[in-house]
Amino acid sequence: MKRTALFPGSFDPFTAGHLNILKRALTMFDEVVVAVGINIDKRGFFPTEKRLEIIRQATAGMEGVSIIKYDNLTVDTCRELGIRHIVRGVRNMIDFEAERSIADANRRLAPEIETIIIPTAQEFAHISSTAVRDIIKHHGDTSQFVPEDVEL
């Protein structure tokens, strides 16, 4: 039986930290579906199609990765795809508490779906999409914060 997980997020943009979590999730699952969430109430820094392209660049040649976009509840997307695991990454205790709250809500909505929280490797813990967006806004060099083959 193929073990598949959903790795949801806004990925605005997808960072080296996200890639670290994805690679580590692939050691536990046969396939990881990277799911770019679309929130019509929020305007992202990058349009959805650009976010998808960035993830495609970052994961080119990686086996077991698929990329989708979605605009409903994460657990509903899991149910639609027959996925029973959600993967989330955390950089610190603040992230952990937020992710734990979301995991608890998801468990109430869909008790059959389990959330796996993976702490990012220490060398990526300082990287956030917010920081990358700020660097871009100020015309800085993002190369050490995003995956190697990504062009922003």
Side-chain angles (χ1 to χ4, degrees), residues 124-136:
F124 302 108
H126 66 285
I127 300 173
S128 70
S129 292
T130 303
V132 172
R133 289 191 305 266
D134 198 43
I135 294 166
I136 292 168

Side-chain angles (χ1 to χ4, degrees), residues 39-96:
N39 183 340
I40 59 171
D41 296 327
K42 284 174 79 174
R43 183 172 174 261
F45 186 79
F46 286 105
T48 303
E49 290 308 315
K50 176 65 175 175
R51 291 186 228 172
L52 294 166
E53 179 56 32
I54 290 168
I55 297 167
R56 283 186 206 104
Q57 289 173 11
T59 61
M62 289 177 67
E63 288 188 33
V65 177
S66 58
I67 305 159
I68 64 167
K69 59 184 173 181
Y70 74 107
D71 64 356
N72 58 352
L73 291 174
T74 300
V75 293
D76 289 342
T77 298
C78 285
R79 285 177 171 148
E80 288 170 12
L81 299 174
I83 294 174
R84 296 180 46 113
H85 295 90
I86 298 170
V87 168
R88 297 294 296 167
V90 296
R91 294 170 295 141
N92 53 43
M93 288 307 292
I94 295 168
D95 283 357
F96 176 80

Side-chain angles (χ1 to χ4, degrees), residues 88-146:
R88 297 294 296 167
V90 296
R91 294 170 295 141
N92 53 43
M93 288 307 292
I94 295 168
D95 283 357
F96 176 80
E97 289 300 328
E99 291 299 335
R100 189 172 101 173
S101 293
I102 294 167
D104 289 344
N106 284 339
R107 190 175 305 108
R108 288 195 176 262
L109 292 170
E112 74 279 12
I113 298 170
E114 191 61 58
T115 299
I116 310 298
I117 297 175
I118 302 174
T120 192
Q122 187 174 6
E123 63 264 30
F124 302 108
H126 66 285
I127 300 173
S128 70
S129 292
T130 303
V132 172
R133 289 191 305 266
D134 198 43
I135 294 166
I136 292 168
K137 286 177 195 173
H138 293 92
H139 310 288
D141 178 10
T142 60
S143 61
Q144 61 184 314
F145 302 100
V146 297

